[in-house]
Amino acid sequence: MKNADLVQRKNAATPRGVGVMCDFYAQSAENAEIWDVEGKRYIDFASGIAVLNTGHRHPRIIAAIEKQLQLFTHTAYQIIPYQNYIELAEKLNTLVPGDFTKKTAFFTTGVEAVENAIKIARYATQRPAIISFSNAFHGRTFLGMTLTAKVNPYKKGFGPLASNIYHTPYPNASLGISAELAKKELLSLLNTTVDADQVAAIIIEPIQGEGGFNVCPPEFMVFLRELCDEHGILLIADEVQTGFGRTGKLFAMEHYSVKADITTMAKSLAGGMPLSAVCGRADIMDAPVAGGLGGTYAGNPLAIAAALAVIEVIEEENLLARGHQLGEKLQQRLQSLQKQVPTISSIRGLGAMIAVEFRDPNTHAAETALVKKIQNYALDKGLILLTCGPEANVIRFLFPLTIPDAVMDEALDILVEAIQNS
């Protein structure tokens, strides 16, 4: 089978709305490497969009899935419950940041976790309004894309959108939005547009993903916590992309002195299996009546088994420290390169959640075309990179935390070559 043949079949059989970045098709994968149907090898710095912190086909995760496969694959937890659902909930209740009693419910996708977090917050507070942030990404469903702060391609032509959703600026140094300015804009929103007493929750990514890997300043997170406490608003941390070791902590909120009331997670939670979760204060999570939460496939037993194995792998292979080590190595290469490449305007992130932004040093204009050239050059050399940011001028790095040193070094050499030759 040839990639070109599959491209033709894909174009004939699937809608263009499902955008596809690569023109080759996966045949097999192992840890941080993928081989296409023609046998070409690629180093995967995308990880299925932050899903594979533990790499492709980790033996422990495969074994856990195979073991569960021999028992049963589906009962619908709401009809016939099973033990590993409870076991994973117990683990997450102890691991998610927050010195309070917690409860956890499972779903299937990241946006399902986000939507259910909003449902829970609204039910618990009996308030309608939700505040999100500029350049946020919370998914593609109707509520998800309303919370998301990007029109094209996520909202364009799909309206009308959900009501009672408001946006306020996220601190972003590259766009000139300081933490102080972001505070003022949020207070202005509450003074002019929506009454704080009507706000159920503020939802924030501790580090924005699609928005450009922007790290929330600690002072702003403290401000949000104090504001929420003052007005009875719940704070939701969207850790769908940041969770499970990506930032050098199991959860990004561990980098902050304050904690969220509700945490959403998905992506690397189950090592490639579809699973998401909402974990929060027990009193809040218990607010909806029985039957108000759930889903046919929510908390699938195979995915639950995979997630339990993921947690074991992260702990036993010390992947949090490994993430710090890999992130430092990447930043050192980029910082060294920055002296030669003036279009590198910013290198930022925490742990292994690192991004590099490109702007014209004179005009500060986004170097979108340059970033696309770098991405294409790297792909041609066998390195898969993802871009992000509202102007698509940021390269984000999402390599598996299990990547071997030799493969990491090979990938960084390709990256440097791509930047120098684009």
Side-chain angles (χ1 to χ4, degrees):
M1 180 60 66
K2 297 292 186 181
N3 286 311
D5 297 330
L6 288 169
V7 169
Q8 290 184 349
R9 289 171 60 186
K10 182 265 292 182
N11 290 341
T14 67
R16 67 172 184 169
V18 182
V20 177
M21 185 183 86
C22 296
D23 61 0
F24 63 86
Y25 287 75
Q27 177 68 31
S28 62
E30 191 77 23
N31 201 348
E33 299 168 275
I34 294 180
W35 289 264
D36 72 7
V37 294
E38 296 178 10
K40 183 173 179 178
R41 166 184 173 268
Y42 294 86
I43 300 173
D44 188 3
F45 265 35
S47 292
I49 317 179
V51 168
L52 300 165
N53 288 355
T54 49
H56 291 275
R57 301 180 63 250
H58 193 288
R60 293 283 296 276
I61 298 171
I62 291 176
I65 296 169
E66 288 178 340
K67 182 179 178 181
Q68 179 61 46
L69 192 62
Q70 298 305 315
L71 299 174
F72 59 90
T73 62
H74 178 76
T75 65
Y77 178 79
Q78 296 112 114
I79 305 302
I80 305 173
Y82 31 91
Q83 181 178 329
N84 64 355
Y85 184 112
I86 299 168
E87 183 181 351
L88 183 58
E90 289 171 338
K91 282 187 178 291
L92 291 175
N93 291 340
T94 64
L95 293 171
V96 169
D99 186 19
F100 42 79
T101 304
K102 308 182 195 76
K103 290 190 176 182
T104 295
F106 295 106
F107 304 96
T108 309
T109 66
V111 71
E112 277 187 87
V114 167
E115 291 219 8
N116 278 280
I118 299 302
K119 286 172 58 177
I120 293 165
R122 281 177 166 166
Y123 202 106
T125 62
Q126 291 297 293
R127 299 175 178 186
I130 305 293
I131 295 176
S132 181
F133 289 89
S134 59
N135 301 320
F137 182 84
H138 296 292
R140 291 181 172 89
T141 58
F142 271 98
L143 181 55
M145 70 180 178
T146 306
L147 293 166
T148 292
K150 187 174 184 179
V151 171
N152 195 10
Y154 303 125
K155 301 184 183 185
K156 189 175 178 66
F158 293 128
L161 303 178
S163 61
N164 288 301
I165 305 297
Y166 303 87
H167 289 88
T168 189
Y170 189 103
N172 187 328
S174 68
L175 297 180
I177 303 171
S178 65
E180 200 59 37
L181 178 58
K183 292 178 189 178
K184 291 179 180 178
E185 291 293 333
L186 177 49
L187 292 175
S188 177
L189 176 72
L190 296 176
N191 286 329
T192 64
T193 307
V194 58
D195 184 354
D197 291 340
Q198 292 299 303
V199 177
I202 296 175
I203 183 168
I204 187 169
E205 299 161 273
I207 303 176
Q208 290 190 321
E210 180 75 14
F213 277 32
N214 307 304
V215 181
C216 180
E219 64 177 290
F220 189 71
M221 193 67 78
V222 170
F223 165 77
L224 289 182
R225 180 70 272 171
E226 292 174 347
L227 183 71
C228 287
D229 290 342
E230 179 183 354
H231 295 286
I233 300 169
L234 300 180
L235 182 60
I236 302 174
D238 183 344
E239 295 246 26
V240 167
Q241 189 161 163
T242 54
F244 297 92
R246 178 51 55 184
T247 70
K249 303 282 189 181
L250 195 63
F251 293 96
M253 285 300 292
E254 294 179 67
H255 291 283
Y256 299 93
S257 62
V258 296
K259 309 307 172 192
D261 299 296
I262 300 173
T263 300
T264 65
M265 63 202 87
K267 291 193 180 286
S268 278
L269 166 60
M273 296 292 285
L275 183 68
S276 63
V278 180
C279 179
R281 283 172 28 200
D283 58 322
I284 296 170
M285 296 296 292
D286 273 339
V289 298
L293 306 176
T296 302
Y297 297 102
N300 173 269
L302 296 172
I304 294 279
L308 287 166
V310 164
I311 293 171
E312 291 178 357
V313 169
I314 290 173
E315 292 174 348
E316 294 176 13
E317 297 187 13
N318 204 13
L319 292 188
L320 302 184
R322 177 68 172 160
H324 272 297
Q325 178 191 2
L326 293 169
E328 288 177 3
K329 176 183 283 191
L330 171 59
Q331 290 204 65
Q332 287 170 3
R333 290 295 294 271
L334 290 171
Q335 288 163 359
S336 176
L337 192 61
Q338 190 174 24
K339 300 171 184 176
Q340 312 164 28
V341 182
T343 51
I344 295 179
S345 62
S346 175
I347 301 163
R348 57 179 179 264
L350 292 173
M353 193 168 180
I354 304 299
V356 56
E357 184 167 1
F358 294 82
R359 290 187 177 274
D360 185 291
N362 298 314
T363 66
H364 200 60
E367 291 280 8
T368 305
L370 172 62
V371 165
K372 189 63 178 175
K373 286 179 64 178
I374 293 169
Q375 184 185 36
N376 289 339
Y377 187 104
L379 190 61
D380 185 61
K381 296 293 183 179
L383 174 62
I384 302 169
L385 298 174
L386 295 182
T387 62
C388 63
E391 298 170 284
N393 65 320
V394 180
I395 296 174
R396 53 176 158 169
F397 301 97
L398 292 168
F399 45 81
L401 305 180
T402 52
I403 186 171
D405 287 333
V407 178
M408 183 70 174
D409 291 339
E410 180 186 356
L412 294 184
D413 288 342
I414 296 172
L415 173 66
V416 169
E417 180 185 339
I419 293 174
Q420 290 176 330
N421 289 279
S422 296

